[in-house]
């Protein structure tokens, strides 16, 4: 399934440790990626601008999220489920 979601400034999109079942595309706005978000060890790792993808690594590797993603400003993000025709990971199912 592919859908657009709106996130308010400072709204969490996903948390470090969550299962990785979706890939995200920033349609409008900006998204921050943090390690150890909201702890004394919190570190901003990346700023994802409009037109860029994030959250794909966990889906490709089949591992939990390694960072927390937070809308830096009001943003619209296209969300693609990992099972959307196998296109996210570049694989296809065979029977």
């Amino acid at each position: 399934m592919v859908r657009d979601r709106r996130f308010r400034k400072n709204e969490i999109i996903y948390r470090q440790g969550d299962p990785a079942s979706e890939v995200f595309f920033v349609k409008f706005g900006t998204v921050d990626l943090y390690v150890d978000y909201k702890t004394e060890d919190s570190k901003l790792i990346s700023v994802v601008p409009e037109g860029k993808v994030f959250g794909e690594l966990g889906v490709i590797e089949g591992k939990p999220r390694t960072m927390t993603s937070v809308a830096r400003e009001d943003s619209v993000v296209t969300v693609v489920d990992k099972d959307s025709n196998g296109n996210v990971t570049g694989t296809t199912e065979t029977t």
Side-chain angles (χ1 to χ4, degrees):
M1 177 196 242
V2 178
R3 65 199 178 283
D4 286 347
R5 289 200 48 207
R6 295 182 187 279
F7 293 92
R8 293 272 189 213
K9 180 180 180 178
N10 296 323
E11 186 175 354
I12 293 174
I13 299 168
Y14 61 75
R15 294 180 187 278
Q16 186 174 339
D18 284 352
S21 58
E22 301 164 319
V23 173
F24 303 86
F25 172 81
V26 182
K27 198 168 188 179
F28 302 106
T30 309
V31 174
D32 292 335
L33 301 177
Y34 291 92
V35 171
D36 300 325
Y37 184 65
K38 293 274 185 169
T39 70
E40 66 180 50
D41 296 324
S42 182
K43 183 174 182 181
L44 177 64
I45 300 299
S46 182
V47 178
V48 185
E50 288 180 13
K52 297 296 182 180
V53 172
F54 67 101
E56 73 281 6
L57 189 59
V59 173
I60 292 168
E61 294 182 343
K63 295 182 179 177
R65 301 286 183 195
T66 58
M67 292 178 258
T68 297
S69 61
V70 182
R72 177 176 274 214
E73 58 189 323
D74 289 353
S75 300
V76 176
V77 175
T78 301
V79 181
V80 181
D81 291 336
K82 72 177 181 180
D83 297 325
S84 294
N85 300 321
N87 294 331
V88 172
T89 61
T91 61
T92 56
E93 288 186 27
T94 58
T95 53

